[in-house]
Amino acid sequence: MILLDGKKLSTEIKAEIAAEVTRLKAAGHKTPHLAAILVGNSGASESYVAGKIKSCAEVGFKSSLFRFEDSVSEKELLDKIKAVNNDADIDGFIVQLPLPKHINVQKVTETILPSKDVDGFHPINVGRLMQNIPCYLPATPFGIMQMIERYKIETAGKHCVVLGRSNIVGLPMSMLMARNTYPGNCTVTLCHSKTKNIQEITTTADIIIAAIGQPKFVTKEMVKEGAVVIDVGITRVPSDKTKSGYKITGDVDFENVSSKCSYISPVPGGVGLMTIVGLLMNTLKAARKEIQF
Ligand code: GUN
């Protein structure tokens, strides 16, 4: 079994990004700049955004954080998004999700300029992804594609089972794995909450990508010997053994599944760190104006 080491890989890729930033600056380019808009103060969102801001500093990017109370009106938030769209110094930005219920997420997503949408959530970027046109890939699927590529995992002709159909991970991941490229060329099955006989499907999988947010959902009975298992889960499960009072738990029962796998990603230390790398890579593309809209 080979561990898909997100810590090692993300450190390597961040060093590559940092070297590129140094080159850009030496050539007279401005410093790449990522902004984040954070509404409310949910513990998970706070910690994801803090991770993104810290990583910007590590690679030499400038970052900005704009905070709003939970009570912010939709108009005020949309006005801020429009202001950031028009701020020439900011290359790309994200609005951290989830948002309070009174705010329409679709309106928020569609107000972000596609050329600054480094989360890849705008329908223009999603449509481009489906048609294999240059676009910002959503950060988690982008990070997973990097992981597969850098570990040289074979994908052509393999059966890839994606668990979960979220707009952020499952749905785009299934499209990417089906594309006629590497990584890709898989026969993809997308499973969700209404799928019947899920174990019958997962036991035929060469690659399982678990993104349902149910701790330890994937058990050893569900995995074929030699499968590649990529765990996207990051649920906070209460624990009296940690200082924080919770333990970050993946969608895979790692302890019992790992010995059957050819490759497996751990939680923490796996896909979560690669998500940040995906976001940084998108921001670098935005700073270089690599994608034409
Ligand atoms: N919430 C959970 N994952 C993400 C992400 O990738 N981007 C944003 N903006 N919010 C999230």
Side-chain angles (χ1 to χ4, degrees), residues 45 48 52 94-98 119 121 139-140 168 275:
S45 290
Y48 297 150
K52 292 168 186 178
I94 64 153
V95 178
Q96 187 65 29
L97 303 179
D119 252 335
F121 293 169
T140 302
I168 295 183
T275 294

Side-chain angles (χ1 to χ4, degrees), residues 92-149:
F93 70 104
I94 64 153
V95 178
Q96 187 65 29
L97 303 179
L99 289 168
K101 290 209 165 47
H102 65 278
I103 291 172
N104 182 330
V105 180
Q106 193 187 337
K107 261 196 209 165
V108 166
T109 306
E110 294 194 52
T111 302
I112 298 171
L113 265 185
S115 57
K116 290 195 175 188
D117 169 38
V118 286
D119 252 335
F121 293 169
H122 191 287
I124 297 252
N125 277 307
V126 177
R128 283 180 169 223
L129 182 157
M130 288 194 60
Q131 297 191 348
N132 210 355
I133 299 167
C135 64
Y136 297 116
L137 299 182
T140 302
F142 193 11
I144 294 171
M145 296 296 271
Q146 284 293 315
M147 195 174 229
I148 292 172
E149 191 175 340

Side-chain angles (χ1 to χ4, degrees), residues 144-195:
I144 294 171
M145 296 296 271
Q146 284 293 315
M147 195 174 229
I148 292 172
E149 191 175 340
R150 299 229 178 187
Y151 274 88
K152 300 186 168 60
I153 294 170
E154 265 184 63
T155 58
K158 304 289 183 189
H159 182 203
C160 176
V161 173
V162 178
L163 303 176
R165 57 181 157 184
S166 70
N167 287 340
I168 295 183
V169 186
L171 199 56
M173 203 62 235
S174 65
M175 299 303 310
L176 290 169
M177 293 305 273
R179 284 207 307 205
N180 182 8
T181 179
Y182 176 77
N185 279 313
C186 286
T187 304
V188 176
T189 305
L190 180 54
C191 297
H192 48 75
S193 53
K194 301 289 187 293
T195 300

Side-chain angles (χ1 to χ4, degrees), residues 25 55 81 83 89 136 212 248:
K25 286 191 203 167
S55 298
I81 292 170
D89 193 61
Y136 297 116
I212 40 175
I248 300 285

